[in-house]
Amino acid sequence: MQVNDDLYMLALPIQRGDQTVYFNASLILDAIHGPTLIDTGLPGQHDAIASTLADAGVRVSDLKRIILTHQDIDHVGSLHDLVQTSGARVLAHAVEAPYIDGSEPPRFARPEVLAQRPELRTVAERFLPTPVDEQLQDGARLDLAGGVRVIFTPGHTPGHMCLYHERTRTLIAGDALTASDGQLMGPNESATPDMPTASQSVRTLAELDVQTIICYHGGVVGVDARKQLQRVAQELAHK
Ligand SMILES: [Zn+2]
């Protein structure tokens, strides 16, 4: 789905029982610097990503960079396979990089998490650590599609980050926010171990002048995005 001239949202279908849910990766187009993918679905979603990229006229082999919002398996799952096909550079926040490149066990593979959520074991086993070529810090500005800013938003994970595309005032929120049918909501509390920090991160985001928000879980928020973000920040004030 094309969000604006510079951005696509890539809806990756996931079968859960007889229901289909969607993870929403993003694609930033840049005629000079080439296409950039943000987040990579679960292990085994290389081809699903390839077919959503095709809607934007992009092949996996065209990808120049892949940016990860954080270390969770539904975001880094197909990173390894996509890098194999594309040779894309991998970028992530410095705090999150060790969990992606294999120097630290990612949280989904920790024994205490697997004990609680045994269904993660099969996907966790399929995760292949991948080197991070460039470690990002809060406030970094990437020279893509007129400028994309890194916003450090810890809480969901210790090194979670969002991206803000300046020209279209679009916030790629990762899991710092969620949405349902255009209604913006806070992060998924059951999957966010540090809610006070995550809430502080939402307050940081609420200072941005946003026109559109893309939530990995919940899709595009395009109506009253800024107002909705301020409302969510307020709702989270005491969490
Ligand atoms: Zn997620």
Side-chain angles (χ1 to χ4, degrees), residues 183-184 226-236:
Q183 175 91 359
L184 190 69
R226 188 172 189 190
K227 260 198 210 149
Q228 290 208 56
L229 181 49
Q230 287 167 350
R231 166 182 56 77
V232 171
Q234 249 169 23
E235 287 167 2
L236 290 171

Side-chain angles (χ1 to χ4, degrees), residues 23 39 69-70 72-75 107 156 160 174-175 191 216-217:
F23 295 160
D39 289 337
T69 58
H70 65 293
D72 282 348
I73 189 69
D74 52 332
H75 298 255
R107 69 168 180 163
H156 180 72
H160 189 285
D175 287 2
Y216 196 73
H217 305 285

